[in-house]
């Protein structure tokens, strides 16, 4: 074989290999535009999204990807992406903007609790690459909310969660922006090993029930490197949760990072191994909060809040074990959720209320194992003093201002 023929064969082989690789990449990539999505800001693109998902989920490959292209806006009606999928990893790449229907009437006859959902999908990776945006267009729901419009005929108490994950294990959300969800922005329920990293969540401070992230019945959940500004809890931790870590999160406006409320209806609570570290609270109504209904049972235990910074926060450290429907007018109950082994360490900042540390525990089921170390909370008003209030709470304090208030 002469040298020219050898070069030609190498060229043909290289070209064929490149074409094969390109074909393989194309087979594994499912662009919603190829399924009829219009991205005209008006037309419902739900069917295109579902068809792209179905093909990606059923593809006989190790890894597949649904692609939502950049610089385009897609209106999507309420839909759920179902698994399980054939691929061990399925990527949902959102470089563009996904927008909810503007009118609540789009949910008529359907499930008003969610907009976009993933169910029974393992190995799911939702990634926005820093550009992806999910816009819940919640104003129509807020304008008919019973919380703010109780006299409105047919006001609503339930509104859609923007992005719901149900029974999705070994999954993640990263590099995304969420705005104006009708209610909770991200819900993680029944998941094991789930991470949320580098997300920005924004809705008005007066928007009702717009929690940033809510975790329910899930284990091994990691939330990192995120900024959350909403009308409710930045992160809320519900029942039957364990091994939750929240690190490097900025919160505000909002209601803080909350464990609870738990035990409503007298159910048995199981929450343990919660870590909140390196968090900044800016102008929130609460900081590190644990909230349980006095009719509840069960336990909250092994909780650590450390390296927290508060700026103009109403209730920097708060435990309320006597939560009920009529605030500050609860009839004392003999039941309660046992709260134990809660640690606060390296906490600094300012309080806008007189009581910077407020630990209100049950007389029947007191809190024990409360530890406070290296805490300095001052008044946001220069020259004013703040106090600590503890009821039925046992533990130890080292270098705590204001204090001490715990029982030995």
């Amino acid at each position: 074989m002469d040298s020219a023929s050898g070069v030609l064969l190498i060229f043909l082989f290289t070209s064929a290999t490149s074409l094969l690789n390109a074909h393989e990449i194309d087979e594994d990539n499912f662009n919603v535009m190829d399924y009829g999505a219009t991205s005209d800001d008006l037309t419902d693109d739900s069917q295109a999204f579902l068809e792209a998902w179905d093909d990606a989920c059923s593809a006989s490959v190790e890894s597949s990807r649904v692609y939502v292209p950049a610089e385009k806006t897609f209106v999507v009606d309420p839909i759920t992406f179902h698994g399980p999928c054939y691929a061990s990893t399925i990527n949902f790449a959102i470089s563009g903007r996904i927008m909810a229907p503007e009118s609540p009437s789009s949910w008529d006859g359907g499930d008003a609790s969610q907009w976009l959902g993933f169910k029974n999908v393992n190995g799911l990776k939702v990634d926005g690459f820093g550009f992806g945006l999910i816009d819940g267009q919640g104003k129509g729901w807020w304008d008919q909310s019973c919380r703010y419009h109780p006299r409105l005929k047919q006001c609503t108490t339930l509104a859609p969660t923007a992005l719901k994950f149900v029974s999705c294990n070994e999954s993640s959300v990263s590099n995304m922006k969420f705005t104006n969800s009708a209610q909770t922005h991200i819900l993680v329920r029944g998941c094991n090993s789930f991470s949320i990293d580098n997300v920005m969540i924004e809705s008005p401070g007066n928007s009702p029930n717009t929690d940033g992230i809510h975790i329910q019945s899930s284990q091994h959940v990691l939330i990192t490197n995120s900024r959350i500004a909403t009308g409710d809890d930045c992160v809320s931790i519900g029942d039957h949760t364990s091994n939750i870590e929240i690190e490097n999160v900025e919160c505000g406006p909002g209601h803080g990072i909350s464990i609870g409320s738990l035990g409503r209806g007298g159910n048995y609570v199981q929450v343990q191994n919660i870590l909140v570290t390196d968090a900044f609270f800016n102008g929130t109504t609460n900081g590190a909060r644990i909230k349980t209904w006095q009719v509840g049972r069960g336990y909250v235990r092994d909780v650590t809040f450390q390296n927290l910074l508060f700026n103009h926060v109403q209730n920097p450290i708060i435990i309320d074990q006597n939560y009920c429907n009529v605030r500050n007018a609860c009839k004392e109950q003999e039941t309660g959720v046992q709260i134990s082994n809660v640690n606060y360490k390296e906490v600094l900042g300012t309080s806008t209320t007189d009581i910077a540390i407020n630990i209100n525990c049950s007389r029947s089921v007191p809190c024990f194992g409360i530890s406070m170390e290296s805490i300095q909370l001052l008044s946001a008003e220069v020259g004013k003093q703040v106090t600590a209030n503890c009821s039925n709470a046992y533990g130890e304090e080292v270098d705590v201002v204001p204090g001490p208030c715990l029982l030995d």
Side-chain angles (χ1 to χ4, degrees), residues 38-101:
T38 61
S39 70
D40 62 4
D41 296 7
L42 297 171
T43 306
D44 173 23
D45 289 320
S46 305
Q47 192 59 37
F49 274 66
L50 284 172
E51 289 179 8
W53 171 262
D54 288 344
D55 283 354
C57 185
S58 60
S60 299
V61 292
E62 186 68 22
S63 177
S64 62
R65 183 174 82 146
V66 174
Y67 180 54
V68 181
E71 300 180 357
K72 295 183 183 297
T73 298
F74 303 88
V75 177
V76 176
D77 274 356
I79 55 175
T80 299
F81 303 104
H82 289 276
C85 295
Y86 186 94
S88 58
T89 300
I90 183 161
N91 300 288
F92 205 103
I94 305 173
S95 294
R97 178 189 185 196
I98 303 177
M99 191 165 60

Side-chain angles (χ1 to χ4, degrees), residues 291-303:
K291 180 174 62 172
T292 64
W293 291 74
Q294 43 175 207
V295 294
R297 300 169 297 120
Y299 58 83
V300 175
R301 63 194 183 199
D302 302 327
V303 177

Side-chain angles (χ1 to χ4, degrees), residues 257-272:
I257 295 177
S258 296
I259 299 173
S261 61
L262 303 169
R264 184 173 188 169
N267 62 295
Y268 191 85
V269 171
Q270 294 175 294
V271 174
Q272 63 183 345

